[in-house]
Each structure stands twice: as C-alpha cells, then as structure tokens.
Amino acid sequence: MATLELAHVGKRYRVRGAGDLLALDDVSFTLTSGQTIALVGQSGSGKSTIAKILTQLERASSGQILLDGAPVPRRGRALRRYRQQVRMVFQDPFASLNPYHTIRHHIERPLRLDHVAPQDEVEQEVRRLLERVHLVPDATIDRRPHELSGGQRQRVAIARALASRPSLLIADEPVSMLDVSIRLGVLNLLAELQREADLGVLYITHDLATARHFSDEIIVLHHGKVVEHGPSDEVILRPRHEYTRALRDASPDPDKHFAGSATTTPSARS
C-alpha cells in the first residue's frame, strides 16, 4: 500500500508589481492506495497547484510531500521512481497528447522509459492498456490524436498514465473539457480502474455531484485553504462551512443527475 501525504504545504508566487500571492495556505491531507479523494473548489482555489506540487512540476514554498513516510526526492533516479509511482491525467486531452505521434508512441514511451515491460513484450502491453480503457487496439493504435474523439483521447491519456504501473493517480478535472454526454463514461472508467488496480486517486473537480458519487472523502478548498474535509456524504449532506453550502446549493441535484445512470457501462466510442 502506498501513502502520499501533504504536510502543512504552502505555495507563494511572486507577482511582478504586486508582491507575493499566497496560492496554498497550510494544506494537509493523506491519500492511500484504494482510496479516492475529491478535491473540490472554484477556479483559482489552488486545486491545480496541489496537483502540480504532487507531481513535482512545481515545488512547495513550505511544508513537505511524503511518499510512504519519506520526503519526495528532488532530482535524479529517485525523483523518476517517485514520478513512476504518482502519475497525472491532465485536464485537456486535446493538448496533453502530441499531435505528431501515434497512439502507439504515446503509450510505448513510458513503458520503455520506466522499463515496465521487456522489449519484446512492449507491443502486447500497449494493446493490453488500450483494452483496459475500453478502446479497440486495432482501431486505435496507429491513429493520431486528432483522429480520435475527446473521450477517446482522454482514455488514451489514462492508458498512458497507467503504463508506468503507478500506485497513485492525480486526475486534474479529467472530464471538464469533454462533452457532457461522455463524461460519466470516463468517470466510470476511472472508478473501475481504481478498484481493479487498488489505485489511490485524487479527483480534482469543481463538481460536487460527481465528487459525492465517485469519492470516499471530499476536501473543499477555498482561497488556498482547506475549509472542509470529511466523508463524501457527510460533507454534502451536512456541510459545516458556508462556502461548502454555497457550492452545494449551486450544484445540480446529485441524485437526479445520476438517476438510472450510475451503472452505465463506458462506451468504447466515447
């Protein structure tokens, strides 16, 4: 079991002519294998900053990131091993895949860089990963991103993230750029993969309805501070903070939103 901990993490940005901007203020929580935590807040609340710090695309200004109790390494092979354990699915599937390369290339690359599979088994592993995200390998593997739909591209991005066999997945608004009609299929896929591989998933979103239905816990972030953290139903049904209540009241009714569709099987075409 892997455990990823943020301990009193803060982040300041230097803004020319305006001094320091406090993006994160003393944020602490722990994500473990087999658990899904939803990180909820409006744009500018600090959600994506947390994702970048966890994946070491940015450094925290204060506090610590700990993986299994050990501080995250800063450089070299140890940092690469950390990044193999903690992978990210980006918000925009249209920008996160290089348009000049085939789907085969996108998934082969982490397999080869992280030495996940022997050279003579890489092709087989690429096809297995495509099947895991409900894509037909023969119809997908040699196409380029622009030949796929948005939902298919995000499935490829998820397959690429899984290629390194991580323990923890950071999903930063993974369906916000997709058509409403195919969002549920991608979220169902993430939930299915989380159960199968015992992944820890940090689901970053502004949507309380999906946060409640696809997570064990919800963390509400407001102006860089955690204002509420608890079991999903508790946070939604009995919110303690006024900001959480405002978010809930502005969201669609979750039960109506998911009525009759919670068990929908993801479509390979979406």
mmCIF file of all heavy atoms in Angstrom, residues 140-171:
data_model
loop_
_atom_site.group_PDB
_atom_site.id
_atom_site.type_symbol
_atom_site.label_atom_id
_atom_site.label_comp_id
_atom_site.label_asym_id
_atom_site.label_seq_id
_atom_site.Cartn_x
_atom_site.Cartn_y
_atom_site.Cartn_z
ATOM 1 N N THR A 140 -7.216 1.724 -33.023
ATOM 2 C CA THR A 140 -6.704 2.909 -32.319
ATOM 3 C C THR A 140 -5.200 3.067 -32.391
ATOM 4 O O THR A 140 -4.690 4.185 -32.524
ATOM 5 C CB THR A 140 -7.103 2.830 -30.814
ATOM 6 O OG1 THR A 140 -8.492 2.563 -30.702
ATOM 7 C CG2 THR A 140 -6.758 4.121 -30.091
ATOM 8 N N ILE A 141 -4.461 1.988 -32.345
ATOM 9 C CA ILE A 141 -3.039 2.024 -32.029
ATOM 10 C C ILE A 141 -2.204 2.846 -33.012
ATOM 11 O O ILE A 141 -1.243 3.514 -32.618
ATOM 12 C CB ILE A 141 -2.491 0.573 -31.903
ATOM 13 C CG1 ILE A 141 -1.126 0.576 -31.227
ATOM 14 C CG2 ILE A 141 -2.481 -0.131 -33.249
ATOM 15 C CD1 ILE A 141 -0.681 -0.810 -30.789
ATOM 16 N N ASP A 142 -2.553 2.850 -34.295
ATOM 17 C CA ASP A 142 -1.747 3.565 -35.285
ATOM 18 C C ASP A 142 -2.375 4.889 -35.732
ATOM 19 O O ASP A 142 -1.913 5.504 -36.695
ATOM 20 C CB ASP A 142 -1.479 2.671 -36.502
ATOM 21 C CG ASP A 142 -0.520 1.538 -36.152
ATOM 22 O OD1 ASP A 142 0.480 1.806 -35.456
ATOM 23 O OD2 ASP A 142 -0.776 0.388 -36.561
ATOM 24 N N ARG A 143 -3.407 5.311 -35.041
ATOM 25 C CA ARG A 143 -4.014 6.606 -35.340
ATOM 26 C C ARG A 143 -3.305 7.694 -34.549
ATOM 27 O O ARG A 143 -2.565 7.442 -33.595
ATOM 28 C CB ARG A 143 -5.504 6.572 -35.011
ATOM 29 C CG ARG A 143 -6.260 5.537 -35.835
ATOM 30 C CD ARG A 143 -7.689 5.372 -35.400
ATOM 31 N NE ARG A 143 -8.533 6.464 -35.848
ATOM 32 C CZ ARG A 143 -9.833 6.545 -35.595
ATOM 33 N NH1 ARG A 143 -10.421 5.608 -34.864
ATOM 34 N NH2 ARG A 143 -10.545 7.546 -36.043
ATOM 35 N N ARG A 144 -3.548 8.953 -34.974
ATOM 36 C CA ARG A 144 -3.010 10.096 -34.256
ATOM 37 C C ARG A 144 -4.134 10.768 -33.473
ATOM 38 O O ARG A 144 -5.312 10.569 -33.780
ATOM 39 C CB ARG A 144 -2.344 11.065 -35.226
ATOM 40 C CG ARG A 144 -0.996 10.533 -35.730
ATOM 41 C CD ARG A 144 -0.323 11.453 -36.724
ATOM 42 N NE ARG A 144 1.060 11.064 -36.923
ATOM 43 C CZ ARG A 144 1.466 10.020 -37.633
ATOM 44 N NH1 ARG A 144 0.570 9.250 -38.241
ATOM 45 N NH2 ARG A 144 2.754 9.727 -37.750
ATOM 46 N N PRO A 145 -3.773 11.549 -32.445
ATOM 47 C CA PRO A 145 -4.807 12.097 -31.557
ATOM 48 C C PRO A 145 -5.941 12.818 -32.268
ATOM 49 O O PRO A 145 -7.104 12.686 -31.860
ATOM 50 C CB PRO A 145 -4.012 13.045 -30.654
ATOM 51 C CG PRO A 145 -2.655 12.414 -30.573
ATOM 52 C CD PRO A 145 -2.408 11.852 -31.944
ATOM 53 N N HIS A 146 -5.641 13.560 -33.328
ATOM 54 C CA HIS A 146 -6.698 14.336 -33.976
ATOM 55 C C HIS A 146 -7.738 13.448 -34.671
ATOM 56 O O HIS A 146 -8.818 13.916 -35.025
ATOM 57 C CB HIS A 146 -6.096 15.320 -34.987
ATOM 58 C CG HIS A 146 -5.554 14.668 -36.232
ATOM 59 N ND1 HIS A 146 -4.271 14.196 -36.311
ATOM 60 C CD2 HIS A 146 -6.132 14.414 -37.434
ATOM 61 C CE1 HIS A 146 -4.067 13.678 -37.510
ATOM 62 N NE2 HIS A 146 -5.184 13.794 -38.217
ATOM 63 N N GLU A 147 -7.414 12.166 -34.816
ATOM 64 C CA GLU A 147 -8.353 11.239 -35.442
ATOM 65 C C GLU A 147 -9.302 10.604 -34.433
ATOM 66 O O GLU A 147 -10.169 9.811 -34.822
ATOM 67 C CB GLU A 147 -7.581 10.141 -36.176
ATOM 68 C CG GLU A 147 -6.691 10.666 -37.295
ATOM 69 C CD GLU A 147 -5.904 9.562 -37.955
ATOM 70 O OE1 GLU A 147 -4.863 9.154 -37.408
ATOM 71 O OE2 GLU A 147 -6.344 9.080 -39.026
ATOM 72 N N LEU A 148 -9.159 10.962 -33.166
ATOM 73 C CA LEU A 148 -9.999 10.399 -32.113
ATOM 74 C C LEU A 148 -10.914 11.464 -31.533
ATOM 75 O O LEU A 148 -10.640 12.660 -31.624
ATOM 76 C CB LEU A 148 -9.121 9.827 -30.990
ATOM 77 C CG LEU A 148 -8.074 8.781 -31.370
ATOM 78 C CD1 LEU A 148 -7.308 8.339 -30.131
ATOM 79 C CD2 LEU A 148 -8.719 7.588 -32.069
ATOM 80 N N SER A 149 -11.997 11.018 -30.906
ATOM 81 C CA SER A 149 -12.886 11.942 -30.208
ATOM 82 C C SER A 149 -12.234 12.387 -28.896
ATOM 83 O O SER A 149 -11.235 11.811 -28.448
ATOM 84 C CB SER A 149 -14.215 11.254 -29.905
ATOM 85 O OG SER A 149 -14.032 10.250 -28.912
ATOM 86 N N GLY A 150 -12.816 13.398 -28.257
ATOM 87 C CA GLY A 150 -12.283 13.876 -26.990
ATOM 88 C C GLY A 150 -12.268 12.799 -25.919
ATOM 89 O O GLY A 150 -11.293 12.648 -25.175
ATOM 90 N N GLY A 151 -13.360 12.032 -25.833
ATOM 91 C CA GLY A 151 -13.414 10.959 -24.852
ATOM 92 C C GLY A 151 -12.380 9.883 -25.113
ATOM 93 O O GLY A 151 -11.759 9.355 -24.188
ATOM 94 N N GLN A 152 -12.171 9.541 -26.389
ATOM 95 C CA GLN A 152 -11.150 8.546 -26.732
ATOM 96 C C GLN A 152 -9.756 9.064 -26.389
ATOM 97 O O GLN A 152 -8.909 8.320 -25.889
ATOM 98 C CB GLN A 152 -11.243 8.205 -28.215
ATOM 99 C CG GLN A 152 -12.465 7.388 -28.576
ATOM 100 C CD GLN A 152 -12.623 7.219 -30.076
ATOM 101 O OE1 GLN A 152 -12.325 8.129 -30.861
ATOM 102 N NE2 GLN A 152 -13.097 6.050 -30.494
ATOM 103 N N ARG A 153 -9.502 10.334 -26.650
ATOM 104 C CA ARG A 153 -8.190 10.904 -26.305
ATOM 105 C C ARG A 153 -7.942 10.831 -24.805
ATOM 106 O O ARG A 153 -6.824 10.520 -24.367
ATOM 107 C CB ARG A 153 -8.113 12.372 -26.755
ATOM 108 C CG ARG A 153 -8.117 12.575 -28.234
ATOM 109 C CD ARG A 153 -7.909 14.038 -28.571
ATOM 110 N NE ARG A 153 -8.538 14.369 -29.837
ATOM 111 C CZ ARG A 153 -8.336 15.500 -30.494
ATOM 112 N NH1 ARG A 153 -7.542 16.416 -30.004
ATOM 113 N NH2 ARG A 153 -8.943 15.728 -31.646
ATOM 114 N N GLN A 154 -8.972 11.140 -24.010
ATOM 115 C CA GLN A 154 -8.768 11.083 -22.566
ATOM 116 C C GLN A 154 -8.542 9.651 -22.104
ATOM 117 O O GLN A 154 -7.778 9.411 -21.169
ATOM 118 C CB GLN A 154 -9.956 11.719 -21.833
ATOM 119 C CG GLN A 154 -9.680 12.061 -20.380
ATOM 120 C CD GLN A 154 -8.583 13.072 -20.174
ATOM 121 O OE1 GLN A 154 -7.430 12.861 -20.530
ATOM 122 N NE2 GLN A 154 -8.953 14.207 -19.591
ATOM 123 N N ARG A 155 -9.162 8.687 -22.758
ATOM 124 C CA ARG A 155 -8.910 7.282 -22.437
ATOM 125 C C ARG A 155 -7.461 6.910 -22.763
ATOM 126 O O ARG A 155 -6.820 6.162 -22.014
ATOM 127 C CB ARG A 155 -9.884 6.384 -23.195
ATOM 128 C CG ARG A 155 -11.318 6.474 -22.690
ATOM 129 C CD ARG A 155 -12.291 5.760 -23.630
ATOM 130 N NE ARG A 155 -13.658 6.035 -23.217
ATOM 131 C CZ ARG A 155 -14.346 5.279 -22.352
ATOM 132 N NH1 ARG A 155 -13.775 4.199 -21.828
ATOM 133 N NH2 ARG A 155 -15.583 5.596 -22.018
ATOM 134 N N VAL A 156 -6.944 7.429 -23.884
ATOM 135 C CA VAL A 156 -5.531 7.206 -24.218
ATOM 136 C C VAL A 156 -4.636 7.833 -23.157
ATOM 137 O O VAL A 156 -3.635 7.231 -22.728
ATOM 138 C CB VAL A 156 -5.209 7.781 -25.610
ATOM 139 C CG1 VAL A 156 -3.699 7.769 -25.869
ATOM 140 C CG2 VAL A 156 -5.938 6.999 -26.699
ATOM 141 N N ALA A 157 -4.987 9.044 -22.703
ATOM 142 C CA ALA A 157 -4.193 9.711 -21.663
ATOM 143 C C ALA A 157 -4.203 8.901 -20.372
ATOM 144 O O ALA A 157 -3.182 8.818 -19.664
ATOM 145 C CB ALA A 157 -4.738 11.114 -21.421
ATOM 146 N N ILE A 158 -5.328 8.286 -20.052
ATOM 147 C CA ILE A 158 -5.401 7.439 -18.855
ATOM 148 C C ILE A 158 -4.542 6.189 -19.047
ATOM 149 O O ILE A 158 -3.801 5.784 -18.143
ATOM 150 C CB ILE A 158 -6.867 7.062 -18.562
ATOM 151 C CG1 ILE A 158 -7.655 8.311 -18.150
ATOM 152 C CG2 ILE A 158 -6.944 5.997 -17.476
ATOM 153 C CD1 ILE A 158 -9.159 8.107 -18.101
ATOM 154 N N ALA A 159 -4.602 5.583 -20.242
ATOM 155 C CA ALA A 159 -3.764 4.410 -20.523
ATOM 156 C C ALA A 159 -2.288 4.769 -20.402
ATOM 157 O O ALA A 159 -1.491 3.984 -19.860
ATOM 158 C CB ALA A 159 -4.076 3.869 -21.918
ATOM 159 N N ARG A 160 -1.906 5.932 -20.896
ATOM 160 C CA ARG A 160 -0.512 6.376 -20.793
ATOM 161 C C ARG A 160 -0.104 6.529 -19.327
ATOM 162 O O ARG A 160 1.004 6.145 -18.938
ATOM 163 C CB ARG A 160 -0.331 7.701 -21.527
ATOM 164 C CG ARG A 160 1.077 8.270 -21.442
ATOM 165 C CD ARG A 160 1.219 9.551 -22.221
ATOM 166 N NE ARG A 160 0.324 10.595 -21.722
ATOM 167 C CZ ARG A 160 0.250 11.820 -22.244
ATOM 168 N NH1 ARG A 160 1.004 12.143 -23.290
ATOM 169 N NH2 ARG A 160 -0.580 12.706 -21.743
ATOM 170 N N ALA A 161 -0.987 7.100 -18.511
ATOM 171 C CA ALA A 161 -0.680 7.262 -17.090
ATOM 172 C C ALA A 161 -0.518 5.905 -16.402
ATOM 173 O O ALA A 161 0.331 5.736 -15.518
ATOM 174 C CB ALA A 161 -1.781 8.073 -16.412
ATOM 175 N N LEU A 162 -1.327 4.931 -16.815
ATOM 176 C CA LEU A 162 -1.267 3.605 -16.200
ATOM 177 C C LEU A 162 -0.072 2.786 -16.677
ATOM 178 O O LEU A 162 0.278 1.784 -16.040
ATOM 179 C CB LEU A 162 -2.548 2.830 -16.510
ATOM 180 C CG LEU A 162 -3.848 3.372 -15.899
ATOM 181 C CD1 LEU A 162 -5.025 2.548 -16.393
ATOM 182 C CD2 LEU A 162 -3.791 3.356 -14.383
ATOM 183 N N ALA A 163 0.545 3.200 -17.775
ATOM 184 C CA ALA A 163 1.627 2.412 -18.364
ATOM 185 C C ALA A 163 2.789 2.208 -17.400
ATOM 186 O O ALA A 163 3.443 1.158 -17.418
ATOM 187 C CB ALA A 163 2.127 3.081 -19.647
ATOM 188 N N SER A 164 3.052 3.195 -16.540
ATOM 189 C CA SER A 164 4.162 3.087 -15.587
ATOM 190 C C SER A 164 3.806 2.269 -14.358
ATOM 191 O O SER A 164 4.617 2.144 -13.442
ATOM 192 C CB SER A 164 4.609 4.490 -15.162
ATOM 193 O OG SER A 164 5.079 5.221 -16.274
ATOM 194 N N ARG A 165 2.576 1.760 -14.306
ATOM 195 C CA ARG A 165 2.073 0.966 -13.174
ATOM 196 C C ARG A 165 2.175 1.739 -11.857
ATOM 197 O O ARG A 165 2.811 1.285 -10.900
ATOM 198 C CB ARG A 165 2.809 -0.376 -13.090
ATOM 199 C CG ARG A 165 2.570 -1.229 -14.333
ATOM 200 C CD ARG A 165 3.257 -2.565 -14.274
ATOM 201 N NE ARG A 165 3.080 -3.278 -15.537
ATOM 202 C CZ ARG A 165 3.715 -4.409 -15.858
ATOM 203 N NH1 ARG A 165 4.548 -4.959 -14.985
ATOM 204 N NH2 ARG A 165 3.500 -4.993 -17.021
ATOM 205 N N PRO A 166 1.535 2.900 -11.817
ATOM 206 C CA PRO A 166 1.606 3.721 -10.612
ATOM 207 C C PRO A 166 0.746 3.159 -9.488
ATOM 208 O O PRO A 166 -0.128 2.315 -9.705
ATOM 209 C CB PRO A 166 1.053 5.066 -11.088
ATOM 210 C CG PRO A 166 0.071 4.684 -12.155
ATOM 211 C CD PRO A 166 0.678 3.504 -12.857
ATOM 212 N N SER A 167 0.983 3.668 -8.284
ATOM 213 C CA SER A 167 0.145 3.354 -7.136
ATOM 214 C C SER A 167 -0.898 4.430 -6.905
ATOM 215 O O SER A 167 -1.934 4.176 -6.290
ATOM 216 C CB SER A 167 1.000 3.212 -5.869
ATOM 217 O OG SER A 167 1.981 2.224 -6.028
ATOM 218 N N LEU A 168 -0.599 5.637 -7.402
ATOM 219 C CA LEU A 168 -1.443 6.807 -7.129
ATOM 220 C C LEU A 168 -1.644 7.597 -8.413
ATOM 221 O O LEU A 168 -0.706 7.783 -9.199
ATOM 222 C CB LEU A 168 -0.785 7.685 -6.062
ATOM 223 C CG LEU A 168 -0.476 6.971 -4.741
ATOM 224 C CD1 LEU A 168 0.619 7.690 -3.987
ATOM 225 C CD2 LEU A 168 -1.724 6.852 -3.882
ATOM 226 N N LEU A 169 -2.867 8.070 -8.616
ATOM 227 C CA LEU A 169 -3.224 8.790 -9.830
ATOM 228 C C LEU A 169 -3.825 10.142 -9.453
ATOM 229 O O LEU A 169 -4.742 10.210 -8.632
ATOM 230 C CB LEU A 169 -4.231 7.974 -10.629
ATOM 231 C CG LEU A 169 -4.436 8.297 -12.107
ATOM 232 C CD1 LEU A 169 -3.163 8.022 -12.891
ATOM 233 C CD2 LEU A 169 -5.589 7.478 -12.669
ATOM 234 N N ILE A 170 -3.290 11.199 -10.063
ATOM 235 C CA ILE A 170 -3.826 12.545 -9.875
ATOM 236 C C ILE A 170 -4.631 12.885 -11.120
ATOM 237 O O ILE A 170 -4.068 12.981 -12.213
ATOM 238 C CB ILE A 170 -2.706 13.585 -9.671
ATOM 239 C CG1 ILE A 170 -1.668 13.090 -8.650
ATOM 240 C CG2 ILE A 170 -3.299 14.929 -9.269
ATOM 241 C CD1 ILE A 170 -2.207 12.820 -7.284
ATOM 242 N N ALA A 171 -5.940 13.019 -10.979
ATOM 243 C CA ALA A 171 -6.821 13.316 -12.117
ATOM 244 C C ALA A 171 -7.304 14.752 -11.984
ATOM 245 O O ALA A 171 -8.182 15.052 -11.178
ATOM 246 C CB ALA A 171 -7.991 12.342 -12.142
#
